[in-house]
Amino acid sequence: MSDELTVEVVYAMPHLQRLKQITVPPGTTVQQAIERSGILQDFPEIDLTKNKVGVFGKLSRLDAPLNDRDRVEIYRPLIADPKEVRRRRAEAIGRRKSEG
């Protein structure tokens, strides 16, 4: 059994995605893996006090310990509120139906 864990740290922008596979000691947290990956230097706009993070699509805390083969994901802030976008879309459909 290895003394190291293999984890991936990923961050995606509309035009660019970055995946870094790193090895870390057991007990490494989400934040420690992000910092160790070097991704914060590649994307200085990432602010761990504001950006949400997750493991395999499930929101996670920065102090959560990682398991072997985990994928740490750094999420970009939403540009628009999904509820507001759906409401506007429904209103536009309603207007088209009443006009037609």
Side-chain angles (χ1 to χ4, degrees):
M1 186 172 151
S2 174
D3 290 337
E4 297 276 306
L5 308 177
T6 300
V7 299
E8 295 177 338
V9 178
V10 297
Y11 181 68
M13 298 183 64
H15 62 284
L16 177 68
Q17 295 79 42
R18 183 70 43 91
L19 182 148
K20 295 197 173 194
Q21 187 175 74
I22 60 172
T23 55
V24 296
T28 296
T29 65
V30 169
Q31 182 170 351
Q32 290 168 332
I34 291 169
E35 291 169 350
R36 188 175 205 169
S37 74
I39 213 156
L40 296 176
Q41 287 73 35
D42 295 343
F43 298 96
E45 69 273 14
I46 297 172
D47 180 349
L48 294 180
T49 64
K50 295 180 183 174
N51 290 76
K52 293 186 180 194
V53 298
V55 176
F56 287 119
K58 184 176 178 185
L59 286 179
S60 180
R61 294 170 40 130
L62 289 170
D63 62 356
L66 293 171
N67 296 306
D68 194 35
R69 306 283 179 207
D70 275 350
R71 183 182 65 225
V72 176
E73 302 159 341
I74 305 166
Y75 305 122
R76 291 180 290 122
L78 292 176
I79 294 172
D81 178 11
K83 290 180 184 178
E84 180 65 22
V85 171
R86 284 192 298 271
R87 185 187 64 74
R88 280 192 235 145
R89 188 179 306 133
E91 286 175 356
I93 290 169
R95 282 193 302 270
R96 282 189 294 225
K97 285 182 179 179
S98 67
E99 294 170 0

